[in-house]
Amino acid sequence: MSAAARAAHAIVDSPPHLILDEIAERLCATAGEPSPLGFHRSHPGEAVLAAARLSAAARSAYAERLLHASGIGQYVVLGAGLDTSAWRVSRSCKIWHVDLPGVLAWRSSLSNQAGIQERGVSVPVDLSSGDPVPELVRAGLRPDVPTFVSWLGVSMYLDAEAVRRTFASLSALAAGSELVFDHIVPASDRDDAGHDYARAVAAAVGARGEPWHCTPAVGQVAEWLDTAGWSPLESIGESDSVAAGFWDRTDWLRPMELVRFTHARLRS
């Protein structure tokens, strides 16, 4: 669904666009019917779909912008799923995709069906209980060289202890490594649009009440990072991460207080 949302953004929403993801469109075409991309094409004004497009596009655009600015040549995608950022980074950048074994196998299968040559090394790890760094090193990552880590769209499905443990495990990377992380804010920090989206997601997945497990406040995330050796550089709302003028629009996209992005750097 995240890949479909990224692909659909440039197809059904009006310019300006945050991201153009033709690879995701090709992957979605292999996923069978009903196509997740087809939902966006057929119902572009559906509020929950529009919010999903904004979140998926905004977080990818934010992380990729910081990756390019960092100049770091090792790039790790935690909870990779069908992330396609590997096709939008420098060819000289070395890439690792971390996810559950079954998810990585599914990703590889869809890529093969779509005729897409995968970029990056697959590293199977269960982030709910495993440490990704030793597996990344075994897969060729150099722990003495800074690494850029993108961890998006995952933390809300883990418990708080797993998130804190992952921050701590990533502190084994080289000083100067950077991390981009997103999280759902607690109910008290959401606006009406954020509450509406949370209710819609809960209904869609058949859950009762809160659809996510980990919804820390901004201060909690900063404390977790600092304790693990990371210096938070920026915490910004999803709606504020876009360029000036983005909200001067007449389509279905609307700002929403629900997701925050955090950028941090590992201390020496």
Side-chain angles (χ1 to χ4, degrees):
M1 294 303 294
S2 294
R6 291 195 311 273
H9 174 51
I11 295 172
V12 305
D13 297 325
S14 302
H17 297 129
L18 298 172
I19 195 169
L20 176 63
D21 200 336
E22 296 173 336
I23 296 292
E25 183 178 1
R26 291 171 60 186
L27 290 172
C28 287
T30 70
E33 296 295 337
S35 165
L37 180 53
F39 293 140
H40 291 272
R41 291 182 185 271
S42 300
H43 308 285
E46 180 66 34
V48 69
L49 294 179
R53 290 196 300 276
L54 173 65
S55 286
R59 70 193 186 200
S60 291
Y62 180 76
E64 290 171 32
R65 183 166 65 249
L66 291 174
L67 170 62
H68 286 294
S70 74
I72 293 174
Q74 294 193 136
Y75 177 40
V76 170
V77 184
L78 292 185
L82 296 182
D83 184 273
T84 58
S85 58
W87 287 276
R88 292 184 295 273
V89 303
S90 168
R91 298 293 299 183
S92 63
C93 190
K94 297 181 179 179
I95 303 162
W96 292 263
H97 294 121
V98 177
D99 214 318
L100 295 166
V103 173
L104 293 173
W106 174 65
R107 173 189 175 94
S108 178
S109 175
L110 290 185
S111 296
N112 289 336
Q113 292 176 55
I116 296 169
Q117 181 64 47
E118 183 70 276
R119 286 201 65 204
V121 178
S122 293
V123 183
V125 178
D126 183 349
L127 292 176
S128 69
S129 58
D131 183 344
V133 175
E135 301 305 320
L136 284 162
V137 172
R138 277 190 279 272
L141 182 137
R142 288 184 55 184
D144 59 329
V145 174
T147 300
F148 191 100
V149 180
S150 172
W151 193 17
L152 303 174
V154 178
S155 68
M156 57 287 299
Y157 301 111
L158 302 173
D159 59 34
E161 180 56 34
V163 174
R164 297 183 67 173
R165 185 173 58 249
T166 302
F167 285 158
S169 70
L170 293 173
S171 67
L173 298 172
S177 292
E178 296 187 23
L179 169 69
V180 171
F181 169 79
D182 70 339
H183 67 99
I184 301 289
V185 298
S188 58
D189 294 342
R190 302 170 194 172
D191 63 5
D192 288 343
H195 283 296
D196 289 344
Y197 183 72
R199 284 191 289 267
V201 171
V205 299
R208 291 183 177 273
E210 177 64 63
W212 300 293
H213 300 297
C214 185
T215 58
V218 173
Q220 284 182 294
V221 172
E223 179 184 348
W224 294 351
L225 286 165
D226 182 66
T227 299
W230 294 86
S231 295
L233 302 177
E234 179 179 55
S235 176
I236 189 170
E238 170 188 274
S239 300
D240 297 323
S241 70
V242 301
F246 179 81
W247 294 116
D248 298 333
R249 55 195 313 122
T250 59
D251 61 6
W252 308 276
L253 301 186
R254 299 289 182 272
M256 177 175 65
E257 291 294 331
L258 180 66
V259 181
R260 288 194 73 88
F261 305 147
T262 298
H263 178 209
R265 182 175 293 124
L266 188 59
R267 300 190 295 269
S268 56

